Amino acid sequence: MFLDPETSSGFKRSLFNAIVAPRPIGWISSLSATGVANLAPFSHFNLVSTAPPVLIFSCNAAGDRPEKDTLANVRATKEFVANLVTWDLRDAMNQTSLNVPPGTDEFALAGLEKLPSVKVRPPRVGASPAHLECTLLRIVEIEPERPGETRSSVVFGRIVGVHLDEAFMTPQGHFDVARTRPLTRLGGSQYSSVGELVELPRPSPPLN
């Protein structure tokens, strides 16, 4: 089967989400210029590099306002926090995905405790076991070129602070991914977490 996104009958762009899966979820907290907190999940999210420490999340155009609150807040304040979503936090995360009026505090909506950050102003999700404080590097605009497409804004953030719950650290100083059970996004409304874990060290080149 070959599908052309432009010409294949009935092609749905949601297919991409089912193929590029699982995807980590960026639970992004931000503050408006007037200090109103916002919290929203983004499944187009990932780590770009570790040195320098950089992550990205992508925000599609909003249907009811010039741009989504998260994007507007990051443009205004140049700061945000990426909070780790665990399996146990899946319902709270889903609550923060609601389409609500601009200026709504999703922390309050989902009954989530706020924790102060150290180097940025947006609060952290108290129930999350890991947080990455970020400052804005740049926003890359992906403009629509064909019918049915919308503008996407790719936000690059430099990680300037890391918070870890010590209960999820191993005696060797590693962050225990299996215990945190990070929530991942699949196709449609499907979510999952980590399954069987295997160790695959990088092979060494053969000796001559």
Side-chain angles (χ1 to χ4, degrees):
M1 178 184 291
F2 173 75
L3 300 174
D4 187 324
E6 293 186 54
T7 62
S8 295
S9 176
F11 182 86
K12 296 181 179 179
R13 64 180 185 178
S14 58
L15 180 64
F16 296 127
N17 292 331
I19 296 172
V20 185
R23 300 182 308 285
I25 300 168
W27 209 8
I28 307 299
S29 53
S30 60
L31 278 181
S32 71
T34 58
V36 178
N38 181 269
L39 180 64
F42 294 86
S43 64
H44 294 161
F45 164 83
N46 221 311
L47 187 69
V48 174
S49 64
T50 57
V54 176
L55 58 75
I56 62 168
F57 71 91
S58 179
C59 187
N60 293 330
D64 60 344
R65 64 198 77 171
E67 57 187 16
K68 292 181 179 178
D69 287 1
T70 300
L71 183 58
N73 291 351
V74 172
R75 285 194 199 277
T77 67
K78 309 291 191 292
E79 297 175 340
F80 63 93
V81 178
N83 304 273
L84 178 63
V85 186
T86 65
W87 178 259
D88 291 340
L89 289 171
R90 63 190 183 278
D91 291 330
M93 179 280 301
N94 201 34
Q95 282 293 310
T96 65
S97 72
L98 279 169
N99 290 324
V100 292
T104 301
D105 183 337
E106 286 85 359
F107 281 89
L109 184 70
L112 292 164
E113 177 191 9
K114 296 186 181 85
L115 292 180
S117 298
V118 174
K119 300 183 72 173
V120 300
R121 287 164 290 177
R124 298 177 288 126
V125 175
S128 174
H131 319 89
L132 303 174
E133 297 186 11
C134 298
T135 56
L136 177 64
L137 279 176
R138 63 178 61 94
I139 299 174
V140 176
E141 305 291 353
I142 310 297
E143 299 295 340
E145 297 180 350
R146 296 174 176 84
E149 296 181 344
T150 58
R151 178 173 56 85
S152 291
S153 301
V154 185
V155 179
F156 288 74
R158 184 181 185 99
I159 301 167
V160 296
V162 180
H163 298 262
L164 299 173
D165 186 335
E166 292 184 0
F168 294 92
M169 299 298 293
T170 69
Q172 295 75 31
H174 300 146
F175 190 62
D176 194 335
V177 177
R179 286 193 60 211
T180 58
R181 300 186 70 197
L183 190 69
T184 62
R185 185 77 184 269
L186 306 176
S189 298
Q190 294 179 328
Y191 292 83
S192 185
S193 188
V194 295
E196 182 180 359
L197 302 181
V198 296
E199 294 278 350
L200 290 175
R202 180 178 295 183
S204 300
L207 298 176
N208 294 327

Coordinates of all heavy atoms in Angstrom, one line a residue, residues 30-114:
S30 N 3.0 27.2 31.9 CA 3.5 28.5 31.5 C 2.7 29.5 32.3 O 1.7 29.2 33.0 CB 3.3 28.7 30.0 OG 1.9 28.6 29.7
L31 N 3.1 30.8 32.2 CA 2.4 31.9 32.8 C 2.2 32.9 31.8 O 3.0 33.2 30.9 CB 3.3 32.5 33.9 CG 3.3 31.9 35.3 CD1 4.2 32.7 36.2 CD2 1.9 31.8 35.9
S32 N 1.0 33.6 31.9 CA 0.7 34.7 31.0 C 1.5 35.9 31.4 O 2.0 35.9 32.5 CB -0.8 35.0 31.0 OG -1.2 35.6 32.2
A33 N 1.5 36.9 30.6 CA 2.1 38.2 31.0 C 1.5 38.8 32.2 O 2.2 39.5 33.0 CB 2.1 39.2 29.8
T34 N 0.3 38.5 32.5 CA -0.4 39.0 33.8 C -0.3 38.0 34.9 O -0.9 38.3 36.0 CB -1.8 39.3 33.5 OG1 -2.5 38.2 33.0 CG2 -1.9 40.5 32.4
G35 N 0.4 36.9 34.7 CA 0.6 36.0 35.9 C -0.4 34.8 36.0 O -0.4 34.2 37.0
V36 N -1.2 34.6 35.0 CA -2.2 33.5 35.0 C -1.5 32.2 34.6 O -0.9 32.2 33.5 CB -3.5 33.8 34.2 CG1 -4.4 32.6 34.2 CG2 -4.2 35.1 34.6
A37 N -1.6 31.2 35.4 CA -1.0 29.9 35.1 C -1.8 29.1 34.0 O -3.0 29.2 34.0 CB -0.9 29.0 36.4
N38 N -1.0 28.4 33.2 CA -1.6 27.5 32.2 C -0.9 26.2 32.2 O 0.3 26.1 32.4 CB -1.5 28.2 30.8 CG -2.2 27.4 29.7 OD1 -1.5 26.6 29.1 ND2 -3.4 27.6 29.5
L39 N -1.7 25.1 31.9 CA -1.1 23.8 31.8 C -1.7 23.0 30.7 O -3.0 22.9 30.7 CB -1.3 23.1 33.2 CG -0.7 21.6 33.3 CD1 0.8 21.6 33.1 CD2 -1.1 21.0 34.6
A40 N -1.0 22.5 29.8 CA -1.5 21.8 28.6 C -0.6 20.7 28.1 O 0.6 20.9 28.2 CB -1.8 22.8 27.5
P41 N -1.2 19.6 27.6 CA -0.3 18.5 27.1 C -0.1 18.6 25.6 O -1.0 19.0 24.9 CB -1.2 17.3 27.4 CG -2.6 17.7 27.4 CD -2.6 19.2 27.8
F42 N 1.1 18.2 25.2 CA 1.5 18.3 23.8 C 2.1 16.9 23.5 O 3.2 16.6 24.1 CB 2.4 19.4 23.5 CG 1.8 20.8 23.7 CD1 1.8 21.4 24.9 CD2 1.2 21.4 22.6 CE1 1.2 22.6 25.1 CE2 0.6 22.7 22.8 CZ 0.6 23.3 24.0
S43 N 1.6 16.2 22.5 CA 2.2 14.9 22.1 C 3.2 15.0 21.0 O 3.8 14.0 20.7 CB 1.1 13.9 21.8 OG 0.4 14.3 20.6
H44 N 3.3 16.2 20.4 CA 4.4 16.4 19.5 C 5.5 17.1 20.3 O 5.6 18.3 20.4 CB 4.0 17.3 18.3 CG 3.0 16.6 17.4 ND1 2.2 17.2 16.6 CD2 2.7 15.3 17.3 CE1 1.4 16.3 15.9 NE2 1.7 15.1 16.4
F45 N 6.3 16.3 21.0 CA 7.2 16.7 22.0 C 8.4 15.8 22.1 O 8.2 14.6 21.9 CB 6.5 16.8 23.4 CG 7.4 16.8 24.6 CD1 7.9 18.1 25.0 CD2 7.8 15.7 25.3 CE1 8.8 18.1 26.1 CE2 8.6 15.8 26.4 CZ 9.1 17.0 26.8
N46 N 9.6 16.3 22.3 CA 10.8 15.4 22.4 C 12.0 16.2 22.8 O 12.0 17.4 22.8 CB 11.0 14.6 21.1 CG 11.4 13.2 21.4 OD1 12.2 12.9 22.2 ND2 10.7 12.3 20.7
L47 N 13.0 15.4 23.2 CA 14.4 15.9 23.5 C 15.1 16.1 22.2 O 15.1 15.2 21.3 CB 15.1 15.0 24.4 CG 16.4 15.4 25.0 CD1 16.2 16.6 26.0 CD2 17.1 14.2 25.7
V48 N 15.8 17.2 22.0 CA 16.6 17.4 20.8 C 18.1 17.1 21.0 O 18.7 16.4 20.2 CB 16.5 18.9 20.4 CG1 17.4 19.2 19.2 CG2 15.0 19.2 20.0
S49 N 18.6 17.5 22.1 CA 20.0 17.2 22.4 C 20.2 17.4 23.9 O 19.4 18.0 24.6 CB 21.0 18.2 21.7 OG 20.8 19.5 22.1
T50 N 21.4 16.8 24.4 CA 21.7 16.9 25.8 C 22.8 17.9 26.1 O 23.0 18.3 27.3 CB 22.1 15.5 26.4 OG1 23.2 15.0 25.6 CG2 20.9 14.5 26.3
A51 N 23.6 18.2 25.1 CA 24.7 19.2 25.3 C 24.8 20.0 24.0 O 25.5 19.6 23.1 CB 26.0 18.5 25.6
P52 N 24.1 21.2 23.9 CA 23.3 21.8 25.0 C 22.0 21.0 25.2 O 21.5 20.4 24.3 CB 23.0 23.2 24.4 CG 23.0 23.0 22.9 CD 24.1 22.0 22.7
P53 N 21.4 21.1 26.4 CA 20.2 20.5 26.7 C 19.0 21.2 26.1 O 18.6 22.3 26.6 CB 20.1 20.5 28.3 CG 20.9 21.7 28.7 CD 22.0 21.8 27.6
V54 N 18.4 20.7 25.1 CA 17.3 21.3 24.4 C 16.2 20.4 24.1 O 16.4 19.2 23.8 CB 17.8 21.9 23.0 CG1 16.7 22.5 22.2 CG2 18.9 22.9 23.3
L55 N 14.9 20.9 24.3 CA 13.8 20.1 24.0 C 12.8 20.9 23.1 O 13.0 22.1 22.9 CB 13.0 19.6 25.2 CG 12.5 20.6 26.2 CD1 11.3 21.4 25.8 CD2 12.2 19.9 27.6
I56 N 11.9 20.2 22.4 CA 10.9 20.9 21.6 C 9.5 20.5 21.9 O 9.3 19.4 22.4 CB 11.2 20.7 20.1 CG1 11.1 19.2 19.7 CG2 12.5 21.3 19.6 CD1 11.0 19.0 18.2
F57 N 8.5 21.3 21.6 CA 7.2 20.9 21.5 C 6.5 21.7 20.4 O 6.9 22.8 20.1 CB 6.4 21.0 22.8 CG 6.1 22.5 23.3 CD1 4.9 23.1 22.9 CD2 7.0 23.2 24.1 CE1 4.6 24.4 23.3 CE2 6.7 24.4 24.5 CZ 5.5 25.1 24.1
S58 N 5.5 21.1 19.7 CA 4.9 21.7 18.6 C 3.5 22.1 18.9 O 2.7 21.2 19.5 CB 5.0 20.8 17.4 OG 4.4 21.4 16.3
C59 N 3.1 23.3 18.6 CA 1.7 23.8 18.9 C 1.0 24.1 17.6 O 1.4 25.0 16.9 CB 1.9 25.0 19.8 SG 0.3 25.6 20.5
N60 N -0.1 23.4 17.3 CA -0.9 23.7 16.2 C -1.7 25.0 16.4 O -2.0 25.4 17.5 CB -1.8 22.6 15.8 CG -1.1 21.3 15.4 OD1 0.0 21.5 14.8 ND2 -1.6 20.2 15.6
A61 N -2.2 25.6 15.3 CA -3.0 26.8 15.4 C -4.3 26.5 16.1 O -4.9 25.4 16.0 CB -3.3 27.3 14.0
A62 N -4.7 27.5 16.9 CA -6.0 27.4 17.7 C -7.2 27.7 16.8 O -7.0 28.5 15.9 CB -5.9 28.3 18.9
G63 N -8.3 27.1 17.0 CA -9.5 27.3 16.2 C -10.3 28.5 16.7 O -11.1 29.0 16.0
D64 N -10.1 28.9 18.0 CA -11.0 29.9 18.6 C -10.3 31.1 19.1 O -10.9 32.0 19.7 CB -11.8 29.2 19.8 CG -10.8 28.7 20.9 OD1 -9.6 28.6 20.6 OD2 -11.3 28.5 22.0
R65 N -9.0 31.3 18.8 CA -8.2 32.4 19.2 C -7.0 32.5 18.3 O -6.7 31.6 17.6 CB -7.9 32.3 20.7 CG -6.9 31.1 21.0 CD -6.9 30.7 22.5 NE -8.1 29.9 22.8 CZ -8.3 29.3 24.0 NH1 -7.4 29.4 24.9 NH2 -9.4 28.6 24.2
P66 N -6.3 33.7 18.3 CA -5.1 33.8 17.5 C -4.1 32.7 17.6 O -3.5 32.2 16.6 CB -4.6 35.2 17.8 CG -5.8 35.9 18.4 CD -6.6 34.9 19.1
E67 N -3.8 32.3 18.9 CA -3.0 31.2 19.1 C -3.3 30.6 20.5 O -3.9 31.3 21.3 CB -1.5 31.5 19.0 CG -1.0 32.7 19.8 CD 0.4 33.1 19.5 OE1 0.9 32.7 18.4 OE2 1.0 33.8 20.3
K68 N -2.9 29.4 20.7 CA -3.1 28.7 22.0 C -2.4 29.5 23.1 O -1.4 30.1 23.0 CB -2.7 27.3 22.0 CG -3.5 26.4 21.0 CD -3.1 25.0 21.0 CE -4.0 24.1 20.1 NZ -3.6 22.7 20.0
D69 N -3.0 29.4 24.3 CA -2.5 30.1 25.5 C -1.0 29.8 25.8 O -0.3 30.6 26.1 CB -3.3 29.8 26.7 CG -4.7 30.5 26.7 OD1 -5.0 31.2 25.7 OD2 -5.5 30.3 27.7
T70 N -0.7 28.5 25.7 CA 0.7 28.1 25.9 C 1.7 28.8 25.0 O 2.7 29.4 25.5 CB 0.9 26.6 25.7 OG1 0.0 25.8 26.6 CG2 2.3 26.1 26.0
L71 N 1.4 28.9 23.8 CA 2.3 29.6 22.8 C 2.3 31.1 23.1 O 3.4 31.7 23.1 CB 1.8 29.3 21.4 CG 2.7 29.9 20.3 CD1 4.1 29.3 20.4 CD2 2.1 29.5 18.9
A72 N 1.1 31.6 23.3 CA 1.1 33.1 23.6 C 1.9 33.4 24.9 O 2.6 34.4 25.0 CB -0.3 33.5 23.8
N73 N 1.8 32.5 25.9 CA 2.5 32.7 27.1 C 4.0 32.6 27.0 O 4.8 33.5 27.5 CB 2.1 31.7 28.2 CG 0.6 31.9 28.7 OD1 0.0 32.9 28.4 ND2 0.1 31.0 29.4
V74 N 4.5 31.6 26.2 CA 5.9 31.5 26.0 C 6.5 32.6 25.2 O 7.6 33.1 25.4 CB 6.2 30.1 25.3 CG1 7.6 30.0 24.9 CG2 5.8 29.0 26.2
R75 N 5.7 33.1 24.2 CA 6.2 34.3 23.4 C 6.3 35.5 24.4 O 7.3 36.2 24.2 CB 5.1 34.6 22.4 CG 5.1 33.7 21.2 CD 4.3 34.4 20.1 NE 3.8 33.5 19.1 CZ 4.6 33.1 18.0 NH1 5.8 33.5 17.9 NH2 4.1 32.2 17.1
A76 N 5.4 35.6 25.3 CA 5.4 36.8 26.2 C 6.5 36.7 27.3 O 7.1 37.7 27.6 CB 4.0 37.0 26.8
T77 N 6.7 35.6 27.9 CA 7.5 35.5 29.0 C 8.9 34.8 28.8 O 9.8 34.9 29.6 CB 6.8 34.7 30.1 OG1 6.7 33.3 29.7 CG2 5.5 35.3 30.5
K78 N 9.0 34.0 27.6 CA 10.2 33.3 27.3 C 10.6 32.2 28.2 O 11.7 31.8 28.3 CB 11.4 34.3 27.2 CG 11.1 35.5 26.3 CD 11.0 35.2 24.8 CE 11.0 36.4 23.9 NZ 9.8 37.3 24.1
E79 N 9.5 31.7 28.9 CA 9.8 30.6 29.9 C 8.7 29.6 29.9 O 7.5 29.9 29.6 CB 9.9 31.2 31.3 CG 11.0 32.2 31.5 CD 11.0 32.8 32.9 OE1 9.9 32.8 33.5 OE2 12.0 33.3 33.4
F80 N 9.0 28.3 30.3 CA 8.0 27.3 30.5 C 8.7 26.1 31.3 O 9.9 26.1 31.4 CB 7.4 26.8 29.2 CG 8.4 26.2 28.2 CD1 8.5 24.8 28.2 CD2 9.1 26.9 27.3 CE1 9.4 24.2 27.3 CE2 9.9 26.3 26.4 CZ 10.1 24.9 26.4
V81 N 7.8 25.2 31.7 CA 8.3 24.0 32.4 C 7.7 22.8 31.7 O 6.5 22.8 31.4 CB 7.9 24.0 33.9 CG1 8.4 22.7 34.5 CG2 8.5 25.2 34.6
A82 N 8.5 21.8 31.4 CA 8.0 20.5 30.9 C 7.9 19.5 32.1 O 8.9 19.2 32.7 CB 8.9 19.9 29.8
N83 N 6.7 19.1 32.4 CA 6.4 18.2 33.6 C 6.2 16.8 33.1 O 5.4 16.6 32.1 CB 5.1 18.7 34.3 CG 5.2 20.1 34.8 OD1 5.8 20.4 35.8 ND2 4.7 21.0 33.9
L84 N 6.8 15.8 33.7 CA 6.7 14.4 33.3 C 5.3 13.9 33.6 O 4.8 14.0 34.7 CB 7.7 13.6 33.9 CG 7.7 12.0 33.6 CD1 7.9 11.8 32.1 CD2 8.7 11.3 34.5
V85 N 4.6 13.3 32.6 CA 3.3 12.7 32.8 C 3.5 11.2 33.0 O 4.1 10.5 32.2 CB 2.4 12.9 31.6 CG1 1.0 12.4 31.9 CG2 2.3 14.4 31.2
T86 N 3.0 10.7 34.2 CA 3.1 9.3 34.5 C 1.8 8.7 34.2 O 0.8 9.3 34.0 CB 3.5 9.1 36.0 OG1 2.4 9.6 36.8 CG2 4.8 9.8 36.3
W87 N 1.8 7.3 34.2 CA 0.6 6.6 34.0 C -0.5 7.0 35.1 O -1.7 7.1 34.7 CB 0.9 5.1 34.1 CG -0.3 4.2 34.0 CD1 -1.0 3.6 35.0 CD2 -1.0 3.8 32.8 NE1 -2.1 2.9 34.5 CE2 -2.1 3.0 33.1 CE3 -0.8 4.1 31.4 CZ2 -2.9 2.4 32.2 CZ3 -1.6 3.6 30.5 CH2 -2.7 2.8 30.9
D88 N -0.1 7.2 36.3 CA -1.0 7.5 37.4 C -1.6 8.9 37.2 O -2.6 9.3 37.8 CB -0.3 7.5 38.7 CG 0.0 6.0 39.1 OD1 -0.6 5.1 38.6 OD2 0.9 5.8 40.0
L89 N -1.0 9.8 36.4 CA -1.4 11.1 36.2 C -2.2 11.3 34.9 O -2.5 12.4 34.4 CB -0.3 12.1 36.1 CG 0.4 12.4 37.5 CD1 1.7 13.2 37.3 CD2 -0.5 13.1 38.4
R90 N -2.6 10.1 34.2 CA -3.2 10.2 32.9 C -4.6 10.9 32.9 O -4.9 11.7 32.0 CB -3.4 8.8 32.3 CG -4.3 7.9 33.1 CD -4.2 6.4 32.6 NE -5.1 5.5 33.3 CZ -4.9 5.0 34.5 NH1 -3.7 5.2 35.1 NH2 -5.7 4.1 35.0
D91 N -5.4 10.7 34.0 CA -6.7 11.4 34.0 C -6.5 12.9 34.2 O -7.2 13.7 33.6 CB -7.6 10.8 35.1 CG -8.0 9.4 34.7 OD1 -8.1 9.1 33.5 OD2 -8.2 8.6 35.7
A92 N -5.6 13.3 35.1 CA -5.4 14.7 35.3 C -4.8 15.4 34.1 O -5.2 16.5 33.7 CB -4.4 14.9 36.5
M93 N -3.9 14.7 33.4 CA -3.4 15.2 32.1 C -4.5 15.4 31.1 O -4.6 16.5 30.4 CB -2.3 14.3 31.5 CG -1.7 14.7 30.2 SD -2.7 14.3 28.7 CE -2.9 12.5 28.9
N94 N -5.4 14.4 31.0 CA -6.5 14.5 30.1 C -7.4 15.7 30.4 O -8.0 16.4 29.5 CB -7.3 13.2 30.1 CG -8.1 13.0 28.8 OD1 -7.7 13.4 27.7 ND2 -9.2 12.4 28.9
Q95 N -7.6 16.0 31.7 CA -8.5 17.1 32.1 C -7.9 18.4 31.6 O -8.6 19.3 31.2 CB -8.6 17.2 33.6 CG -9.6 16.2 34.2 CD -11.0 16.5 33.8 OE1 -11.5 17.6 33.9 NE2 -11.7 15.5 33.3
T96 N -6.5 18.5 31.6 CA -5.9 19.8 31.1 C -5.9 19.9 29.6 O -5.5 21.0 29.1 CB -4.5 19.9 31.7 OG1 -3.7 18.8 31.1 CG2 -4.4 19.7 33.2
S97 N -6.4 18.9 28.9 CA -6.5 19.1 27.4 C -7.9 19.6 27.0 O -8.1 19.8 25.8 CB -6.3 17.7 26.8 OG -7.4 16.8 27.0
L98 N -8.7 19.9 28.0 CA -10.1 20.5 27.7 C -9.9 21.8 26.9 O -9.1 22.6 27.2 CB -10.9 20.7 29.0 CG -11.6 19.5 29.6 CD1 -12.1 19.8 31.0 CD2 -12.7 19.1 28.7
N99 N -10.9 22.0 26.0 CA -11.0 23.3 25.3 C -11.7 24.3 26.3 O -12.9 24.1 26.5 CB -11.7 23.2 24.0 CG -10.9 22.5 23.0 OD1 -9.7 22.7 22.9 ND2 -11.5 21.7 22.1
V100 N -11.0 25.2 26.9 CA -11.6 26.1 27.9 C -11.3 27.5 27.5 O -10.5 27.8 26.6 CB -11.1 25.8 29.3 CG1 -11.5 24.4 29.8 CG2 -9.5 25.8 29.3
P101 N -12.1 28.5 28.0 CA -11.8 29.9 27.6 C -10.4 30.3 27.9 O -9.8 29.8 28.9 CB -12.9 30.6 28.5 CG -13.9 29.6 28.8 CD -13.2 28.3 29.0
P102 N -9.9 31.3 27.1 CA -8.6 31.8 27.4 C -8.5 32.3 28.8 O -9.4 32.9 29.4 CB -8.5 33.0 26.4 CG -9.4 32.6 25.3 CD -10.6 31.9 26.0
G103 N -7.3 32.1 29.4 CA -7.1 32.6 30.8 C -7.5 31.6 31.9 O -7.4 31.9 33.1
T104 N -8.0 30.4 31.5 CA -8.3 29.4 32.5 C -7.1 28.8 33.1 O -6.1 28.4 32.4 CB -9.2 28.3 31.9 OG1 -10.4 28.9 31.3 CG2 -9.6 27.3 32.9
D105 N -7.1 28.6 34.4 CA -6.0 28.0 35.1 C -6.3 26.5 35.2 O -7.1 26.0 35.9 CB -5.9 28.5 36.5 CG -4.7 28.0 37.3 OD1 -4.2 26.9 37.0 OD2 -4.3 28.6 38.3
E106 N -5.6 25.7 34.3 CA -5.8 24.3 34.3 C -5.3 23.5 35.5 O -5.8 22.4 35.7 CB -5.2 23.7 33.0 CG -5.9 24.0 31.7 CD -5.5 25.3 31.1 OE1 -4.7 26.0 31.7 OE2 -6.0 25.7 30.0
F107 N -4.4 24.1 36.3 CA -4.0 23.5 37.5 C -5.2 23.4 38.4 O -5.5 22.3 39.0 CB -3.0 24.3 38.2 CG -1.6 24.2 37.7 CD1 -1.1 25.0 36.7 CD2 -0.7 23.3 38.3 CE1 0.2 24.9 36.2 CE2 0.6 23.2 37.8 CZ 1.1 24.0 36.8
A108 N -6.0 24.5 38.5 CA -7.2 24.5 39.4 C -8.3 23.6 38.8 O -9.0 22.8 39.5 CB -7.7 25.9 39.5
L109 N -8.4 23.6 37.4 CA -9.4 22.7 36.7 C -9.2 21.3 37.0 O -10.1 20.5 37.3 CB -9.3 23.0 35.2 CG -10.3 22.3 34.3 CD1 -11.7 22.9 34.6 CD2 -9.9 22.4 32.9
A110 N -7.9 20.8 37.1 CA -7.6 19.4 37.3 C -7.3 19.1 38.7 O -7.0 17.9 39.1 CB -6.5 19.0 36.4
G111 N -7.4 20.1 39.6 CA -7.1 19.8 41.0 C -5.7 19.5 41.3 O -5.4 18.7 42.2
L112 N -4.7 20.2 40.6 CA -3.3 19.9 40.7 C -2.6 20.9 41.6 O -2.8 22.1 41.4 CB -2.7 19.8 39.4 CG -3.1 18.6 38.5 CD1 -2.7 18.8 37.0 CD2 -2.5 17.3 39.0
E113 N -1.7 20.5 42.5 CA -0.9 21.4 43.3 C 0.2 22.0 42.4 O 0.8 21.4 41.6 CB -0.3 20.6 44.4 CG 0.6 21.4 45.3 CD 1.4 20.6 46.3 OE1 1.4 19.4 46.2 OE2 2.1 21.2 47.2
K114 N 0.4 23.3 42.7 CA 1.5 24.0 42.0 C 2.7 24.0 43.0 O 2.6 24.2 44.2 CB 1.1 25.5 41.8 CG 0.0 25.7 40.8 CD -0.1 27.2 40.5 CE -1.2 27.6 39.6 NZ -2.6 27.7 40.2

